[in-house]
Amino acid sequence: MRSSKSGAHLCGAEAIVDENSISKTVYSFVKRALSSKRGIPDSVNLKVEAVKKEPVYSPLLPVFHVSQPPSEVLAELFKVASVPPSLGLSFYSLLLKGPSPTGEVMRGALIVEIPSGKRLEPDKFKGVRASCLGITSRALKELKEKAGKFYTDRLKDALVLTSKICSYPNVLGELCVSDDPDYTTGYFSIPKIGYFRLFNLKPYGLSKGGRVIFVNSNLEVPAFIEYLKEFPFIGNSFPGYYFELPFR
Ligand code: WAQ
Ligand code: MG
């Protein structure tokens, strides 16, 4: 699903579900589009497609609940991911300003090459959108149990999305700031290490945000984009929800 107003992106969502859940899912996506805090859309697009490729089943990344303010940990997280902190932080600022050339929110993610800082996404207005994302009922149950009161559906969606992104060779990490004015929680995730859940990542009330995928120069962009769009990825287990950082 994606919704827009006067051509500007408002919100989007995608899921792999079984046949019995199609109507329910379509209904919930329309409801989500119409209740977005970013505004009332004048257009909602929905696409329902059969999964054509054999899905890849994979464990989700573990989640680290970061209690420190983002300003105290972001630089360290960038270092762990081999992203130069000054470059990482400059893209964080860009997300808060609106990363499209006109300062608006993009529908998809930026792809940024490290160490050059060059933007590799072919369309700088739209970015690259990942799709074909699913989670098994067993993995969802594990996630809900382990996250307990910290579980939200947003966490589920974001964790599946970034676990797919981080499974691709030559990805170094992904930074995400929601574009919803009332959702100030975001994350930085690092392949094989985890999803670092960051609170108060942006000022309350700001309708800006976005995603940056940091990659090294060995990454082949067209194949990566095809992977993000076309290859079904289904999370089938969840390692754990932790309150201490895995380093330090
Ligand atoms: N593929 C690529 N980029 C996307 C996608 C996608 N499927 N969906 C969203 N984006 C980009 C797009 O530029 C949006 O403006 C931006 O990300 C933010 O999207 O509690 O709510 O749907 O741990 O606003 C993460 C924290 C919440 C969850 C993320 O993102 C938690 C969120 P939003
Ligand atoms: Mg949003």
Side-chain angles (χ1 to χ4, degrees), residues 9 11-14 32 38 99 105-109 126 128-131 133 150 152 154-156 158 161 165 174 176-180 183 185-187 195 197-199 209-211 213:
H9 170 77
C11 89
E14 38 271 298
R32 194 189 300 193
R38 290 171 45 75
V105 160
M106 291 160 70
R107 166 139 66 82
K126 290 185 179 153
V128 172
R129 201 152 170 111
S131 201
L133 307 162
F150 298 110
T152 65
R154 295 265 184 134
L155 168 64
K156 174 202 62 181
L161 173 63
I165 291 172
E174 188 220 341
C176 169
V177 180
S178 174
D179 54 23
D180 295 39
Y183 207 81
T185 305
Y187 64 84
Y195 176 108
R197 197 175 192 197
L198 301 163
F199 299 91
R211 281 180 154 92
I213 305 170

Side-chain angles (χ1 to χ4, degrees), residues 68-116:
Q68 298 94 322
S71 58
E72 283 177 23
V73 285
L74 259 178
E76 193 177 353
L77 291 173
F78 285 133
K79 255 190 238 161
V80 174
S82 306
V83 173
S86 57
L87 199 64
L89 291 169
S90 72
F91 280 97
Y92 171 42
S93 305
L94 184 66
L95 293 185
L96 297 177
K97 280 196 224 113
S100 94
T102 46
E104 278 162 299
V105 160
M106 291 160 70
R107 166 139 66 82
L110 289 71
I111 303 176
V112 171
E113 184 186 68
I114 298 301
S116 69

Side-chain angles (χ1 to χ4, degrees), residues 235-248:
N236 65 354
S237 64
F238 175 61
Y241 193 96
Y242 304 106
F243 293 89
E244 262 166 51
L245 297 178
F247 41 82
R248 285 199 167 173

